Amino acid sequence: MAGRDDAVDLYRALALHRAAATRLKSLRDQGRVPAAIRCGRGYEAVSTGAARALRAASDGSGDAVAPTPDNAGAFFVFGGTPLQFFRQHLACGSAPGRGREPGMCPIDVERGLVGPAALPGTMVEVMAGVTLAFRLRGEDRVGLVFSGEDETSTSAWHEGTNFAAARRCPLIVVVQAGTETSTGVHTRARGFAQKAAGYGVASASVDGGDVLAVHRAVEEAAARARSGQGATLVEARGCPVSRRALRAAGADRERHPYEHPPDPAARFRVRLIEERIARASDLDEVERRARAAVRSACEQALGESPPADEYALGGVYDGDPGTPPWYRLEPPERGLALASTT
Amino acid sequence: MAGRDDAVDLYRALALHRAAATRLKSLRDQGRVPAAIRCGRGYEAVSTGAARALRAASDGSGDAVAPTPDNAGAFFVFGGTPLQFFRQHLACGSAPGRGREPGMCPIDVERGLVGPAALPGTMVEVMAGVTLAFRLRGEDRVGLVFSGEDETSTSAWHEGTNFAAARRCPLIVVVQAGTETSTGVHTRARGFAQKAAGYGVASASVDGGDVLAVHRAVEEAAARARSGQGATLVEARGCPVSRRALRAAGADRERHPYEHPPDPAARFRVRLIEERIARASDLDEVERRARAAVRSACEQALGESPPADEYALGGVYDGDPGTPPWYRLEPPERGLALASTT
Amino acid sequence: MTSNSRPEHLARTLRGEPVTLLEAISEALFEEMERDPSVFLMGEDIAVYGGAFKVTRGFLDHFGAERVIDTPISEAGFTGAAAGAAHMGLRPVVEMQFMDFISPAYDVITNYLATSRYRGSGSVPVVVRGPVGGGNRGGPFHSQNVEMAFFHTPGLKIVYPATAYDAKGLMKSAIRDDDPVIFEEHKSLYRAPHLREVLPAEDYTVPLGKARCAREGTQVTIVTYGAMVHTSLEAAAALEKDDGVAVEVLDLRTLLPLDDEAVAGSVKKTGRLLIVHEDTRTGGIAGEIAMRVNEQAFEWLDAPILRVTAIDSPVPYAGGLEDYFLPRVSDIVTACRYLVEY
Amino acid sequence: MTSNSRPEHLARTLRGEPVTLLEAISEALFEEMERDPSVFLMGEDIAVYGGAFKVTRGFLDHFGAERVIDTPISEAGFTGAAAGAAHMGLRPVVEMQFMDFISPAYDVITNYLATSRYRGSGSVPVVVRGPVGGGNRGGPFHSQNVEMAFFHTPGLKIVYPATAYDAKGLMKSAIRDDDPVIFEEHKSLYRAPHLREVLPAEDYTVPLGKARCAREGTQVTIVTYGAMVHTSLEAAAALEKDDGVAVEVLDLRTLLPLDDEAVAGSVKKTGRLLIVHEDTRTGGIAGEIAMRVNEQAFEWLDAPILRVTAIDSPVPYAGGLEDYFLPRVSDIVTACRYLVEY
Ligand SMILES: Cc1ncc(C[n+]2csc(CCOP(=O)(O)OP(=O)(O)O)c2C)c(N)n1
Ligand SMILES: Cc1ncc(C[n+]2csc(CCOP(=O)(O)OP(=O)(O)O)c2C)c(N)n1
Ligand SMILES: [Mg+2]
Ligand SMILES: [Mg+2]
């Protein structure tokens, strides 16, 4: 984080995440998003702080990041647009995934966006391989994967992290850990950074609501990775905790930040103003633009059509056009064998 | 380990393991054991030291242990006999598993013997459940599972260990780690005890060739488990390293202990004599008896018949008698539909 | 620490009120837990939260935290633990939050649970249950039917009820059964109002392995199960009304073991067989049924065996795509007409 | 760091010498790695040790440690990593030491690799290969055929060669194919002396999805693959000699996608179909084939479709049991006679 411009740029990213996440939450609350999805409020700092510590490019030469649906900020920093974001969530025919899958983004190899998740932990394995490829080709690139805290309980997370560690892949695993339920229910570890030694990787534990702290930790991890020192586990504490996890932990749901997620963007704003890096009016303008960009993207996406039904077919294999089942075509001739099995 | 008698008893267990393992190795080298199996030489101390730190019983009230095929000593300490051992390895019709499966033992719930392994890591999950049952029923029992070092890379090991940790199961996980290849190839952890913190469990790291050290560590772990403090990870260093692992690590195969596995029994013998706990002649007699017991069991098993071929059938489900396929029965009547699908 | 009175929402049948399929399952679990102290539950968010679909709401308060266990995201870990607990005489019922999440447990289920009895390690009475099926805009990882992942594994049983009565009776049988059972519950049937029915107040079971004739007919047999029972009944009613064709609908209820007798019996009556499954086409259960009917009732076939199924692809997300992907009433009508006119 | 000259044992075909099926596979891997720098290998003990079956002996020296990678026991981890590397433009070939060990990777293969293209994340050209099959006294976890674990998953291809020529040509096609391919290699065929053949010196491929007529005949069609091709050919020869019956033997070579045309074509010629597979019975591939023949060639059937398969149980260990478990020449002869006399 160099000067004033950088800081305001960073705020711009936070504000865009915030605006998109807030908009998505209302769409969800209105029942306009088919799947009951995460919207990413409260993940502004960890998402943008981490992503901006990497090198984004659009020609396949930059770093790679695997965001969860909570990490809109990382998606935007790596060149995803609000329009793509809403198209994908709303399952528009024009969406990158053309409605075949929920979430935020399919893969964009040129931009280094690797998504979306399948089951928890899978993307740690996949990103281990993405960064293995960087190593094998001697490229100066690193990868970052966002993970939940309980995701660390999964087999995939373990095998992926251990593989990356063993092969010294330039991978950064960011564990987004809540405050109250981080430990005790699903793990007895005192913290998620404690897991690093078991894999023999470096670790850091930072406040996930502090964008600069996240940025710094990931910057250091990326430098380590680029210099051949392998993977790093970054624990981002204080991320939102889901309602279910809260209840499982017996925590008071009503008073917990999940219901009123902490706003890391607002926190950064206060800091920028207090430290006289930016004026409130400038930041108001940044926010206004973010909201406007989000509003217009969302409205455009809402006006677009869903994919044509037949798009359910085909594309399962290379060059597979997709054939409708025989009982959806012209009625077959009476008494004749069917021409095909589909 | 109280007095002289205990020490000699312990030596008896080591000697029996040694004798059985040595005999099994010759059977294997002669190609008389169908599967290319492990024989357990070099695992005398970790096997018997750990098992004797638990409470064996034969009426379903004792502790439980899940040995790998390398842990013959634990099998014997928990009441398995040399005859069962050779019957099972030689796939006799009289074997506990009646030839359906290789390895050392199927489950004996009364004795607390839980085996054999399926794929690596599985028994950690299973023993997490065995010890969960102890907890749920408020029984004062603990369980122990032996694991290889690279087994810690598996998904099953991770999920099993984490589950046991999270539920505070009275489980002891013993990682049998080699000297040269323990780390660096399949994990970057500096040692396997390092993994404990990531699960929030206690740990110990001991010389796996020192039966008293293993005994002490497991005794402490068992006490912790019985007092409700949950699982412990015990690293037993200096266990044999397989040829393959050695080569993978680029180690000098010819000079490595695997080819001439260290004999923890001999080591304990020296100590017993040096510390004047036992006389050489007494220990000679112990060894002689162990060899004799093993020889006669082996000879008896070698003379026994394999299971009847039809024993391949049935027993897949409760009460399933097994039906031979129709083409192995009387030829079906010409032109008639078959009576059954098998 | 468990309260004695049955929670109000689990006493509908006792009060003579109709219950949904979901409520029927909850009642079955509750009654089995009351009847047999060895029955206990494990799963993600099942205790405090009551489960993603609220199947176990109120169980924690009634039965306590020892018998209603919240687990980490470790499907392999807790399913393997269930096997261990079963070895020790307990009867675990494991919930997969969505049955799609059973895939990390594929290894332990097929290699350990399914083979335990045959290998000589005794029965493993574990029930693995959870919601399956499409039509809910869940996308590729929250909509799968999982029967064909396990249908090929000797040692497992697979149950898939279509009515509240069967769901309750089959669940009780599954829990009392000494073999591992996969129990699929279709999300769309969980709260379907037209499936509400008044169940017998007394304890009853529905035997595993027996199909049910859901509608009698003479001209075509439809063999189906789960949600497709209702789609098929709709088609049968339409065919009766529009074409005067008498369609027999057989609800398999248990997929493994298959009720050969019921299928062959019906085919011998009608001479025409259509198999309908919601699961994808290639490698679906229709194949095994077709094979068995060939073996057992070939001479009675007056037309080729046909099938109506989902399309061979992952389950797409967008509503239109998913609707196109799934089998429809009109597909079944078309296929039946083809068969009748053949 | 890679040497330029081809290792002597990988140059048999260049020297005009016959090769075994195993050597054919090694040559295919070697030549594809020479041809395309994006091809690389991962697996347990494949580098320094050359693999459990020595398929990759000499590869490490020739291609270096960046392209021949020893992995931890993490089948899910390295298969997921393969997908990540594939996203980045590499073509990983992953070895399962025994194909039985693919089960921990079931989740990532079915949910991630198989669905990636459909979900909009592009192709994942990964080959997962390894030894399968029984008859080697490997017991339940070293003898499985795995095709039916994956046959039901749209997006995967499954290859299973029976000859050295096909093994080499199919492996090349699999590596060059843009979809994920499961490649099964039968252990009994690896070094079978009668399968040695002189292969073309020039580069050739065998297309995926095309069956091969292994023996022409007019009275019965046997559809089979893998080791059972040779068992079936033996039966066909016996039937010719003893009964004068002309049996056609179709070697599927690729199981997914199935070559419907070849199967239906042969059935239309002979009117009688026997399916032979070494894999267990219920839910085996015979079902799908029977279903498709019903759909496409019902009118041509002069007898029921039948099957000869292994018994529905885990693979037993003892020699007699395993021999009883597996399909035999005499079983095929009996079934063909039944069909001919029908
Ligand atoms: C194999 C599998 N098990 C369970 C789930 C359901 N599931 C999705 S996210 C989640 C909670 C994840 O918790 P955490 O990793 O802490 O992430 P958070 O949601 O708190 O950000 C669960 C249980 C799943 N998708 N896949
Ligand atoms: C899922 C699976 N992967 C691989 C194997 C093959 N395998 C069995 S033991 C073993 C090595 C185990 O190493 P470690 O855990 O260190 O135990 P050691 O043999 O050294 O005692 C391997 C690769 C297997 N049986 N199952
Ligand atoms: Mg969380
Ligand atoms: Mg080892």
Side-chain angles (χ1 to χ4, degrees):
Chain A
M1 214 39 31
R4 187 192 170 283
D5 286 357
D6 268 0
V8 174
D9 266 4
L10 187 52
Y11 187 69
R12 195 166 285 123
L14 282 167
L16 191 57
H17 177 134
R18 184 78 187 172
T22 303
R23 190 80 184 198
L24 186 59
K25 182 175 181 315
S26 3
L27 287 177
R28 190 193 62 184
D29 295 348
Q30 294 160 26
R32 301 182 76 165
V33 190
I37 40 91
R38 333 279 307 248
C39 58
R41 277 152 53 96
Y43 290 85
E44 293 81 357
V46 65
S47 305
T48 57
R52 295 219 1 147
L54 304 179
R55 298 178 190 155
S58 58
D59 61 354
S61 72
D63 295 335
V65 64
T68 76
D70 282 323
N71 302 116
F75 175 69
F76 297 137
V77 168
F78 269 68
T81 67
L83 186 55
Q84 286 170 334
F85 178 88
F86 286 106
R87 281 173 165 166
Q88 184 78 0
H89 276 301
L90 293 166
C92 299
S94 56
R98 290 216 262 165
R100 283 176 172 173
E101 149 160 287
M104 193 167 62
C105 62
I107 278 186
D108 183 335
V109 172
E110 298 300 302
R111 294 196 186 279
L113 278 167
V114 184
L119 302 195
T122 306
M123 295 318 286
V124 181
E125 298 172 343
V126 171
M127 288 303 290
V130 164
T131 51
L132 177 73
F134 295 165
R135 258 207 73 160
L136 298 189
R137 289 198 291 232
E139 294 170 346
D140 186 30
R141 302 164 71 186
V142 310
L144 183 147
V145 59
F146 290 99
S147 148
E149 62 198 349
D150 194 19
E151 196 170 341
T152 63
S153 304
T154 66
S155 27
W157 193 93
H158 172 67
E159 292 204 358
T161 301
N162 188 55
F163 182 90
R167 304 302 314 168
R168 287 216 192 286
C169 297
L171 178 65
I172 303 159
V173 180
V174 176
V175 177
Q176 304 176 122
T179 28
E180 302 189 25
T181 61
S182 296
T183 59
V185 178
H186 299 318
T187 175
R188 296 278 168 187
R190 265 169 303 133
F192 292 90
Q194 304 276 327
K195 290 186 177 279
Y199 301 99
V201 300
S203 68
S205 180
V206 295
D207 178 348
D210 178 345
V211 65
L212 294 180
V214 172
H215 187 275
R216 202 174 315 115
V218 172
E219 209 169 41
E220 284 167 19
R224 253 196 310 275
R226 278 188 233 283
S227 71
Q229 292 175 76
T232 300
L233 186 60
V234 176
E235 176 186 41
R237 300 183 316 269
C239 288
V241 174
S242 69
R243 245 168 302 176
R244 258 183 276 166
L246 271 180
R247 296 192 63 171
D252 179 351
R253 169 182 164 196
E254 296 312 315
R255 295 187 42 220
H256 195 273
Y258 185 88
E259 294 296 298
H260 311 281
D263 182 349
R267 183 169 156 191
F268 190 46
R269 179 190 158 103
V270 169
R271 184 161 167 183
L272 289 176
I273 295 171
E274 278 180 2
E275 298 186 5
R276 293 178 188 271
I277 295 167
R279 282 178 313 189
S281 57
D282 293 347
L283 300 182
D284 287 347
E285 176 62 13
V286 165
E287 286 167 42
R288 206 195 50 71
R289 288 207 185 161
R291 279 196 303 270
V294 159
R295 187 183 328 111
S296 92
C298 182
E299 267 156 29
Q300 179 172 341
L302 281 169
E304 287 178 351
S305 359
D309 291 354
E310 290 75 12
Y311 192 64
L313 292 169
V316 175
Y317 293 100
D318 187 27
D320 160 24
T323 323
W326 65 265
Y327 35 76
R328 298 227 181 122
L329 298 170
E330 284 295 290
E333 245 184 278
R334 182 171 164 164
L336 271 199
L338 301 170
S340 90
T341 57
T342 54
Chain B
M1 211 40 30
R4 187 193 170 281
D5 287 356
D6 268 1
V8 175
D9 266 3
L10 186 51
Y11 186 68
R12 196 166 285 124
L14 282 168
L16 191 58
H17 177 134
R18 185 75 185 173
T22 302
R23 190 82 183 195
L24 186 60
K25 182 174 182 315
S26 2
L27 287 176
R28 190 192 63 185
D29 293 350
Q30 293 159 28
R32 300 181 77 166
V33 191
I37 39 90
R38 333 279 308 248
C39 57
R41 277 153 53 94
Y43 290 87
E44 293 81 357
V46 65
S47 305
T48 56
R52 293 216 6 145
L54 304 179
R55 299 178 190 155
S58 57
D59 62 352
S61 72
D63 293 337
V65 64
T68 76
D70 283 321
N71 301 115
F75 176 68
F76 297 137
V77 168
F78 269 68
T81 67
L83 187 55
Q84 286 171 334
F85 177 87
F86 286 105
R87 280 174 166 167
Q88 183 79 1
H89 275 301
L90 293 166
C92 300
S94 56
R98 291 215 263 165
R100 282 175 173 174
E101 149 159 286
M104 194 167 60
C105 62
I107 279 187
D108 182 336
V109 171
E110 299 299 303
R111 295 196 185 279
L113 277 166
V114 184
L119 302 194
T122 306
M123 294 318 287
V124 181
E125 298 172 343
V126 171
M127 288 302 291
V130 164
T131 51
L132 177 73
F134 296 164
R135 257 205 73 158
L136 298 190
R137 288 198 291 231
E139 295 169 347
D140 186 30
R141 302 164 70 187
V142 309
L144 183 147
V145 60
F146 290 99
S147 147
E149 61 198 348
D150 195 18
E151 195 170 341
T152 62
S153 303
T154 66
S155 28
W157 193 94
H158 172 69
E159 292 204 357
T161 301
N162 188 56
F163 182 90
R167 303 305 313 169
R168 286 217 194 287
C169 298
L171 178 65
I172 303 160
V173 180
V174 176
V175 178
Q176 304 176 121
T179 29
E180 303 189 25
T181 60
S182 298
T183 57
V185 179
H186 299 318
T187 175
R188 297 279 168 186
R190 267 168 303 134
F192 292 90
Q194 304 275 328
K195 290 186 177 279
Y199 300 100
V201 299
S203 70
S205 178
V206 296
D207 178 348
D210 179 345
V211 64
L212 294 181
V214 172
H215 187 275
R216 202 175 315 117
V218 172
E219 210 169 40
E220 284 166 19
R224 253 195 312 273
R226 279 189 232 282
S227 71
Q229 290 175 78
T232 299
L233 186 60
V234 176
E235 176 185 39
R237 299 182 317 268
C239 288
V241 174
S242 71
R243 248 167 301 177
R244 257 182 278 165
L246 271 182
R247 297 191 64 172
D252 180 352
R253 168 183 165 195
E254 296 313 316
R255 295 188 40 220
H256 195 272
Y258 184 88
E259 294 298 296
H260 311 281
D263 182 349
R267 183 170 155 191
F268 190 44
R269 180 191 157 102
V270 168
R271 183 161 167 183
L272 289 176
I273 295 170
E274 277 180 3
E275 298 187 3
R276 294 175 188 271
I277 295 168
R279 281 177 313 188
S281 57
D282 295 345
L283 300 183
D284 287 347
E285 177 61 16
V286 165
E287 285 167 44
R288 207 195 50 74
R289 289 205 184 161
R291 280 195 304 267
V294 158
R295 188 183 330 112
S296 91
C298 182
E299 267 156 29
Q300 178 171 343
L302 280 168
E304 287 179 349
S305 1
D309 291 355
E310 290 74 13
Y311 192 64
L313 294 168
V316 176
Y317 293 100
D318 187 26
D320 160 24
T323 322
W326 65 266
Y327 35 78
R328 295 220 184 130
L329 298 170
E330 284 296 292
E333 244 183 281
R334 182 171 162 164
L336 270 200
L338 300 170
S340 91
T341 57
T342 54
Chain C
M1 300 253 257
T2 67
S3 107
N4 275 324
S5 66
R6 189 188 281 220
E8 200 261 340
H9 70 283
L10 291 163
R12 292 212 168 81
T13 292
L14 286 185
R15 293 195 301 272
E17 294 168 15
V19 295
T20 62
L21 187 136
L22 185 145
E23 289 161 352
I25 290 169
S26 297
E27 287 189 1
L29 294 172
F30 190 92
E31 290 170 17
E32 289 305 295
M33 287 182 77
E34 290 222 304
R35 181 178 169 273
D36 179 353
S38 67
V39 178
F40 76 103
L41 312 182
M42 289 198 279
E44 291 152 16
D45 307 314
I46 65 162
V48 184
Y49 191 71
F53 288 87
K54 300 291 181 195
V55 170
T56 52
R57 180 159 67 93
F59 280 54
L60 176 64
D61 286 345
H62 195 83
F63 295 107
E66 304 285 81
R67 293 182 69 197
V68 188
I69 298 179
D70 273 333
T71 65
I73 313 184
S74 299
E75 285 78 7
F78 62 75
T79 307
H87 284 318
M88 294 296 120
L90 299 182
R91 292 188 172 268
V93 180
V94 154
E95 171 172 303
M96 298 288 157
Q97 197 164 74
F98 285 75
M99 266 294 202
D100 312 54
F101 310 158
I102 203 171
S103 58
Y106 177 81
D107 169 38
V108 73
I109 292 174
T110 60
N111 282 320
Y112 194 85
L113 276 74
T115 65
S116 177
R117 176 190 296 282
Y118 187 80
R119 294 185 293 122
S121 289
S123 66
V124 188
V126 174
V127 176
V128 180
R129 54 158 290 274
V132 293
N136 301 282
R137 315 320 184 205
F141 307 121
H142 294 77
S143 310
Q144 296 171 25
N145 288 286
V146 304
E147 54 269 28
M148 297 318 289
F150 299 102
F151 184 71
H152 184 56
T153 303
L156 299 179
K157 293 178 177 169
I158 306 175
V159 176
Y160 200 151
T163 68
Y165 179 90
D166 284 348
K168 184 167 184 180
L170 287 166
M171 179 61 83
K172 290 189 172 212
S173 294
I175 292 173
R176 297 178 198 180
D177 198 274
D178 273 340
D179 292 310
V181 179
I182 312 282
F183 198 101
E184 301 187 66
E185 306 162 5
H186 200 292
K187 291 184 279 291
S188 302
L189 304 186
Y190 262 163
R191 298 189 169 88
H194 62 286
L195 292 189
R196 292 173 90 101
E197 57 181 312
V198 176
L199 302 183
E202 62 279 7
D203 181 47
Y204 73 94
T205 59
V206 171
L208 304 190
K210 292 276 165 238
R212 169 183 76 96
C213 184
R215 179 191 176 106
E216 286 197 43
T218 52
Q219 290 173 274
V220 188
T221 298
I222 295 180
V223 169
T224 187
Y225 55 96
M228 285 298 127
V229 169
H230 307 287
T231 313
S232 298
L233 286 171
E234 237 185 276
L239 282 159
E240 174 92 69
K241 180 157 164 286
D242 298 343
D243 305 34
V245 170
V247 177
E248 176 142 315
V249 178
L250 213 61
D251 171 4
L252 286 173
R253 302 199 291 197
T254 300
L255 307 186
L256 193 64
L258 266 177
D259 188 349
D260 291 351
E261 227 173 283
V263 174
S266 180
V267 169
K268 286 180 185 172
K269 181 167 75 173
T270 64
R272 292 174 159 82
L273 174 59
L274 176 70
I275 301 148
V276 179
H277 57 69
E278 184 190 300
D279 198 4
T280 55
R281 193 167 189 84
T282 297
I285 202 171
E288 181 66 22
I289 295 170
M291 188 73 230
R292 293 192 182 195
V293 169
N294 257 272
E295 289 167 322
Q296 296 171 9
F298 177 73
E299 285 300 331
W300 284 266
L301 285 175
D302 296 324
I305 301 167
L306 296 180
R307 56 181 164 176
V308 167
T309 70
I311 283 161
D312 270 337
S313 75
V315 186
Y317 170 57
L321 302 189
E322 190 181 25
D323 290 342
Y324 191 91
F325 163 86
L326 291 170
R328 299 172 179 174
V329 172
S330 58
D331 298 336
I332 301 172
V333 168
T334 303
C336 285
R337 284 197 180 126
Y338 176 87
L339 282 176
V340 171
E341 290 171 14
Y342 188 87
Chain D
M1 301 254 258
T2 67
S3 109
N4 276 323
S5 66
R6 189 189 281 218
E8 199 261 340
H9 71 282
L10 292 163
R12 293 212 167 81
T13 292
L14 286 184
R15 294 195 301 272
E17 295 167 16
V19 294
T20 61
L21 186 135
L22 185 146
E23 290 160 350
I25 291 169
S26 297
E27 287 189 1
L29 294 173
F30 190 91
E31 290 170 18
E32 289 305 295
M33 288 181 76
E34 290 223 304
R35 182 179 169 273
D36 179 353
S38 67
V39 178
F40 76 103
L41 312 182
M42 290 197 281
E44 291 153 16
D45 307 314
I46 65 162
V48 185
Y49 191 70
F53 288 86
K54 301 293 180 190
V55 170
T56 53
R57 179 159 68 94
F59 279 54
L60 176 64
D61 287 343
H62 194 83
F63 294 108
E66 304 285 81
R67 293 182 69 196
V68 187
I69 298 179
D70 274 332
T71 64
I73 313 184
S74 300
E75 284 79 6
F78 61 76
T79 307
H87 284 318
M88 294 296 121
L90 299 182
R91 291 188 172 267
V93 180
V94 154
E95 172 173 302
M96 298 288 156
Q97 197 165 73
F98 286 74
M99 267 294 202
D100 313 54
F101 310 158
I102 203 170
S103 57
Y106 177 81
D107 169 37
V108 73
I109 292 174
T110 60
N111 281 321
Y112 194 85
L113 275 76
T115 65
S116 177
R117 177 190 295 282
Y118 187 80
R119 293 185 293 121
S121 289
S123 66
V124 187
V126 174
V127 175
V128 180
R129 52 158 292 273
V132 293
N136 302 281
R137 315 319 185 206
F141 308 121
H142 294 78
S143 310
Q144 296 171 24
N145 287 286
V146 304
E147 54 269 28
M148 297 318 289
F150 299 102
F151 185 71
H152 183 57
T153 303
L156 299 178
K157 292 177 177 170
I158 306 176
V159 176
Y160 199 152
T163 68
Y165 179 91
D166 284 348
K168 185 168 182 179
L170 288 165
M171 180 61 82
K172 291 189 172 212
S173 294
I175 293 173
R176 296 179 199 179
D177 198 274
D178 274 340
D179 291 311
V181 179
I182 312 283
F183 197 100
E184 302 187 65
E185 305 163 6
H186 200 291
K187 290 183 282 290
S188 302
L189 304 185
Y190 262 163
R191 297 187 169 89
H194 63 285
L195 292 190
R196 291 173 90 99
E197 59 180 312
V198 176
L199 302 183
E202 60 279 5
D203 182 49
Y204 72 93
T205 59
V206 171
L208 304 189
K210 291 277 165 236
R212 169 182 77 95
C213 184
R215 178 191 177 106
E216 287 197 40
T218 52
Q219 291 173 272
V220 188
T221 298
I222 296 180
V223 168
T224 187
Y225 56 96
M228 286 298 127
V229 169
H230 307 287
T231 312
S232 299
L233 286 171
E234 239 186 273
L239 283 158
E240 174 91 71
K241 183 159 162 283
D242 299 342
D243 306 33
V245 169
V247 177
E248 176 142 313
V249 178
L250 213 61
D251 171 5
L252 287 172
R253 302 200 291 196
T254 301
L255 308 186
L256 193 63
L258 267 177
D259 188 349
D260 290 351
E261 229 173 280
V263 175
S266 181
V267 169
K268 286 180 184 173
K269 184 167 74 172
T270 64
R272 293 173 159 81
L273 174 59
L274 176 70
I275 302 149
V276 179
H277 56 69
E278 185 192 300
D279 198 5
T280 55
R281 193 167 189 85
T282 297
I285 202 171
E288 181 66 22
I289 296 171
M291 188 72 231
R292 292 191 184 196
V293 168
N294 256 275
E295 289 167 322
Q296 296 171 10
F298 177 73
E299 285 298 331
W300 284 266
L301 286 176
D302 296 323
I305 301 168
L306 296 181
R307 55 182 164 175
V308 167
T309 69
I311 283 162
D312 270 337
S313 75
V315 186
Y317 170 55
L321 302 189
E322 190 181 24
D323 290 343
Y324 191 91
F325 164 85
L326 291 169
R328 300 171 180 176
V329 173
S330 59
D331 298 337
I332 301 173
V333 168
T334 302
C336 283
R337 284 198 181 125
Y338 176 88
L339 283 176
V340 171
E341 289 170 16
Y342 189 88

